[in-house]
Amino acid sequence: MITNAMQEKLKQYFQSIRKPVVIEASLDSSAASAQLKQLLLALKASSDKIALSFDGNDTRKPSFSIRQPKSVDQCSAGPAWTDNDLRFAAIPLGHEFSSLVLALLWAGDHPPKVSEAQIEQIKSLMGSYRFEVYMSLSCHNCPDVVQALSLMALINPSIRTVIIDGALFQDEVEARKIMAVPSIYLNGQWFGSGRMSLEEILAKLDQPGVSGHIEALLQRKPYDLLVIGGGPAGVSAAIYAARKGIRTGLLADRLGGQLNDTMAIENFISMPSTDGPRLSSALGDHLRVYQVDVMTFDRAKRLIASPRPGGWNEIELESGARLKARSVVISTGARWRQLGVPGEDQYRGRGVAYCPHCDGPLFKGKRVAVVGGGNSGVEAAIDLAGLAAEVTLLEFAPNLKADAVLIDRLQSLQNVSVITKAKISEIEGEDSVVTGLSYLDLGEGLEQRIALEAVFVQIGLVPNTDWLKGTLALNAQGEIIVDAKGQTSLQGVFAAGDVTTVPFKQIIIAAGEGAKAALGAFDDLIRGHPGDALNAAQTEASFVYEGDAARPQAANVVGPDSQPKALLRAA
């Protein structure tokens, strides 16, 4: 479970533990308990500041709590812990191994990479909060929620967090009809599902925090260049802009964008093999090296273009705040395309899913369908075949469109059937969960029905440009039309990545397009003000804007920040 190499890495990471930490396990005679015991013993062997007890009597077995002892002398004298309460009803490997390591570090007084304002907001929460988070170990959307609520439980004694592996406690999943992860319950009531950041969770709990967030945005000074979107294109654009020494901001729902929903990546040059969450974390680490003002927990609502070249562009946010920038790079990416049939919205999260890696483990031993015969659909069917009892792949066209190697692999699986010339008519359900799918057989002209428990939709992506309609020139697919430099139909507004007309939606292409758009925007800033042309020695200078005039100022000092890098991203 824990290799020698991983053990050595853990010893290095756990050197940052400054105060004793107690792990108390509740186990039974099951194989899962034996596996958890092996993991916990490996953790204890990695640091002399970790104490381990098997005296727990929690009703969920296997599980374990992470707490601080009230004093060093009481570590082995029974349950003399602090009131902080964080429990894992799971064997946290896979994507959650990082969550486990971080929880131990935080419990051991290693500072988290969050702002002091957020820490104070967590401490100020009054009342009693009992969170239950249902996740799966293969879910790459879950760690953000798990880590946020783990941190909150370790900071505020009035917050209790239990992390529950849905595959390990399927009786609870079925009783609560949970069909998507992460799913969060607060004090026994549904609180939310899907990826949520610490900022979003705090905003739902503490409304004054929202007003404080808006006030902070309103105090932001105008930017030389503002990037909208935090995927490979957006991060690349922000880094290239910051390296020019200009005042740069980046607004994003989440750093990494679609990367966070991508698993195996084997075509990003210089990395023979990685995954989306890991690459997303690396992008964030690289971004923090430079002076980029990163703003999360808000979305762009409207672009208000400057009425004259060189003027201020404004971005109105969903919160009501506005940001100003001389140049803008839009890199808002794309989202899953929906079927648009009856039942899809009604049963989303109740059997209708878009991420087989996240939600697949919840349907172990059940009947599922995948809609879409491209690479994504075929890959999803292959992955689900290892979990589900039956997998049915439906494709509208006469033939599958995936790569031949994937089709060959699919056809070798005994529990997968393929139906082509199938037009989905409706997703059916009963008692709030999916029970079947109807489709029109285009060859025979007959309506058919399949009984199943889940439908995974994999039919491509839609550009996130709804907020730009009527402002920028878009093509028929809703993509932003750009020229060779990333320039859009508006002066000073550039775009990059999957949101644009650039063909071949690939990570490495998006990153390159982001760099190109930032360079194009910088070139536009210079040439837009010929009276202030910069010489070679000044090209790292920032601009000071006075009215509509610009002049270069001394270069910003850029360099590594003092925050530690991501601690562990593997299991």
Side-chain angles (χ1 to χ4, degrees), residues 5-162:
M6 290 177 66
Q7 191 89 55
E8 291 304 313
K9 285 186 177 181
L10 285 175
K11 290 178 180 179
Q12 295 175 19
Y13 295 134
F14 288 161
Q15 289 176 4
S16 298
I17 296 178
R18 300 187 290 193
K19 293 183 178 180
V21 178
V22 175
I23 300 175
E24 183 186 59
S26 298
L27 305 178
D28 55 21
S29 59
S30 66
S33 286
Q35 187 180 12
L36 178 58
K37 183 176 182 179
Q38 182 184 354
L39 172 62
L40 297 181
L41 288 170
L43 294 174
K44 182 183 185 303
S46 301
S47 174
D48 58 4
K49 288 188 170 62
I50 297 177
L52 178 59
S53 164
F54 295 105
D55 298 329
N57 58 0
D58 192 81
T59 55
R60 288 189 179 97
K61 295 181 176 67
S63 68
F64 63 95
S65 64
I66 297 176
R67 296 182 181 179
Q68 293 177 339
K70 291 182 178 177
S71 69
V72 175
D73 295 336
Q74 293 172 315
C75 281
S76 59
W81 329 132
T82 60
D83 293 330
N84 300 91
D85 198 344
L86 169 63
R87 177 170 295 276
F88 283 82
I91 305 169
L93 296 171
H95 292 300
E96 295 304 341
F97 191 58
S98 293
S99 302
L100 170 60
V101 172
L102 287 171
L104 289 168
L105 288 167
W106 294 333
D109 203 34
H110 182 75
K113 293 198 298 183
V114 299
S115 69
E116 285 298 325
Q118 288 174 325
I119 291 176
E120 289 304 314
Q121 192 177 355
I122 294 170
K123 289 180 178 179
S124 68
L125 291 172
M126 304 297 290
S128 179
Y129 302 89
R130 182 171 57 88
F131 285 102
E132 296 168 290
V133 185
Y134 291 88
M135 56 80 178
S136 71
L137 300 180
S138 60
C139 170
H140 42 271
N141 289 322
C142 294
D144 282 358
V145 173
V146 169
Q147 291 167 22
L149 291 174
S150 295
L151 179 62
M152 290 171 63
L154 292 169
I155 288 177
N156 188 331
S158 66
I159 299 174
R160 180 184 181 222
T161 297
V162 184

Side-chain angles (χ1 to χ4, degrees), residues 376-438:
S376 296
V378 173
E379 287 174 353
I382 292 171
D383 289 342
L384 290 167
L387 296 167
E390 299 176 16
V391 179
T392 304
L393 177 67
L394 298 103
E395 163 59 32
F396 180 83
N399 300 294
L400 299 181
K401 297 169 288 186
D403 295 340
V405 63
L406 293 175
I407 295 175
D408 289 343
R409 171 63 178 147
L410 183 75
Q411 292 174 342
S412 71
L413 301 173
Q414 298 299 313
N415 62 336
V416 177
S417 58
V418 177
I419 301 174
T420 58
K421 299 181 182 179
K423 181 181 180 181
I424 309 303
S425 306
E426 182 180 1
I427 296 173
E428 303 167 358
E430 185 177 335
D431 293 333
S432 76
V433 299
V434 167
T435 58
L437 175 151
S438 295

Side-chain angles (χ1 to χ4, degrees), residues 168-186:
L168 199 59
F169 293 89
Q170 282 195 322
D171 55 339
E172 293 187 38
V173 167
E174 292 176 1
R176 281 180 157 165
K177 296 182 179 180
I178 295 170
M179 296 187 175
V181 289
S183 285
I184 310 167
Y185 286 78
L186 173 58

Side-chain angles (χ1 to χ4, degrees), residues 38 42 72 116 200 212 258 332 350 372 378 397 402-403 449 528 567 571:
Q38 182 184 354
V72 175
E116 285 298 325
E200 290 173 298
Q258 291 177 55
T332 46
R350 296 291 181 179
V378 173
D403 295 340
R449 184 184 185 277
L567 295 167

